[in-house]
Amino acid sequence: MTSKVELVSVVIPTLNEAGNILEAVTAIEKDLAYPKEIIVVDGNSTDGTIEIVKDTSFCKLIIEPRLGYGTALKTGMKNAKGNIIVMVDGDGTYDVKHINRLLDRMIQKDADMVLATRMYDPNKAMGFMNFVGNKVITFFFDFFYSQFLSDTQSGFRAISHEAINNVKLNEGDMAFATEMLVQFAKEGYSMTEVSTTYKARKYGKTKLKKFKSGIEIFSTIFRGLLDADMVRKNEEYWKKNWFKR
Ligand SMILES: Nc1nc2c(ncn2[C@@H]2O[C@H](COP(=O)(O)OP(=O)(O)OP(=O)(O)O)[C@@H](O)[C@H]2O)c(=O)[nH]1
Ligand SMILES: [Mg+2]
């Protein structure tokens, strides 16, 4: 439950995002209407990202030499002081001007997490394989964890700091984003969405290894189910909502 925004810690992982990061952090600094701190967690970029971040007066820079998207986010979250954490990529693909939507919805719904969904984006900028993979993962996640999310792979989220401190997160790479949803669902934390638009990457290379991440994400979803309590909760949910006569 999040009834008040005291301070927002925006955590941004970067690995060689020199052509993207300045636009992203400048927009957040300008548009975010709540008290904030912006934390960039860089994985020892070699393309000038670090220098660009250092040159801004408003970003806190953390170097996390251990590789992995999840590892970088975890380090950023550990250093975050806000009662709400917003995570977003530093690659300019998410429309960060929608950041206030996430926070407004969080308060309005008293939610523990709000995700920015790219599934209603009229530009349809998501690559075909990413779109299909996301749909399949989201279907399995929603079905097994009794949720109604449309974009489980969104990396643009507002999260209650207290809630995330209460769950155990082990994944170091892209499956981190799914593990967070699995743990929140298991703990009964509330999750909801707002829509956003999405742009294809303009600069630099993707760090997403589709096959490896796909396996890790599915194994995260199914591992979460190997828990008697979760099986029981699911059974109760389906009985109540689908098998009632
Ligand atoms: N610090 C750190 N950041 C990382 C690492 N891997 C990825 N990132 C950052 O995490 C964010 C997500 O990675 P992306 O490569 O954009 O992955 P994606 O969003 O699935 O793929 P795109 O379609 O290219 O956007 C980006 O801002 C990356 O720079 C890492 O090992 N360390
Ligand atoms: Mg990205």
Side-chain angles (χ1 to χ4, degrees):
M1 295 217 288
T2 311
S3 52
K4 196 163 176 264
V5 182
E6 283 153 19
L7 176 71
V8 183
S9 300
V10 185
V11 179
I12 309 174
T14 55
L15 186 58
N16 295 324
E17 303 288 0
N20 304 316
I21 188 65
L22 189 61
E23 201 181 320
V25 291
T26 310
I28 293 167
E29 172 66 11
K30 183 170 143 280
D31 294 331
L32 179 50
Y34 292 92
K36 58 184 165 284
E37 59 171 357
I38 302 175
I39 304 172
V40 176
V41 188
D42 189 85
N44 262 335
S45 294
T46 51
D47 69 342
T49 306
I50 295 175
E51 291 68 25
I52 293 169
V53 175
K54 274 187 185 158
D55 280 349
T56 66
S57 55
F58 50 83
C59 290
K60 191 168 149 192
L61 173 70
I62 300 174
I63 304 291
E64 172 50 271
R66 294 172 303 163
L67 280 185
Y69 170 75
T71 303
L73 281 170
K74 264 190 275 186
T75 300
M77 288 175 184
K78 240 182 245 157
N79 285 276
K81 296 195 178 74
N83 70 319
I84 295 180
I85 294 175
V86 170
M87 57 183 249
V88 65
D89 290 2
D91 61 1
T93 57
Y94 289 94
D95 210 334
V96 288
K97 72 169 182 289
H98 295 151
I99 196 162
N100 295 312
R101 279 190 196 178
L102 293 164
L103 298 156
D104 295 345
R105 180 61 61 87
M106 197 149 188
I107 300 308
Q108 184 199 358
K109 293 266 178 187
D110 217 358
D112 296 302
M113 190 190 303
V114 180
L115 295 97
T117 172
R118 303 160 291 178
M119 288 297 160
Y120 308 106
D121 175 18
N123 307 324
K124 307 233 176 303
M126 194 182 293
F128 180 71
M129 287 303 284
N130 284 10
F131 178 81
V132 173
N134 193 340
K135 281 271 178 207
V136 176
I137 292 164
T138 300
F139 171 80
F140 278 100
F141 173 78
D142 282 348
F143 183 81
F144 285 117
Y145 293 92
S146 316
Q147 302 292 321
F148 294 93
L149 299 179
S150 63
D151 185 2
T152 54
Q153 300 312 299
S154 172
F156 189 14
R157 308 172 176 187
I159 310 153
S160 147
H161 199 163
E162 195 187 331
I164 202 138
N165 276 349
N166 280 340
V167 296
K168 203 163 169 358
L169 298 168
N170 300 310
E171 292 296 319
D173 209 355
M174 297 297 183
F176 176 78
T178 308
E179 187 184 30
M180 194 190 286
L181 303 182
V182 165
Q183 296 304 342
F184 267 54
K186 288 175 80 166
E187 286 300 319
Y189 287 131
S190 58
M191 294 182 272
T192 184
E193 290 178 329
V194 290
S195 73
T196 191
T197 43
Y198 188 66
K199 285 172 265 169
R201 201 178 243 289
K202 278 189 264 173
Y203 166 95
K205 286 199 199 104
T206 183
K207 282 99 212 168
L208 175 70
K209 296 179 195 85
K210 289 189 181 66
F211 188 67
K212 173 180 172 279
S213 294
I215 304 251
E216 286 172 357
I217 289 166
F218 275 111
S219 101
T220 299
I221 290 176
F222 292 117
R223 220 180 321 115
L225 292 170
L226 300 175
D227 169 346
D229 210 34
M230 194 64 223
V231 175
R232 188 184 48 74
K233 268 191 205 157
N234 254 332
E235 194 186 322
E236 276 168 17
Y237 176 85
W238 291 111
K239 267 191 199 154
K240 193 166 139 229
N241 292 286
W242 292 91
F243 305 127
K244 63 178 173 216
R245 279 188 280 172

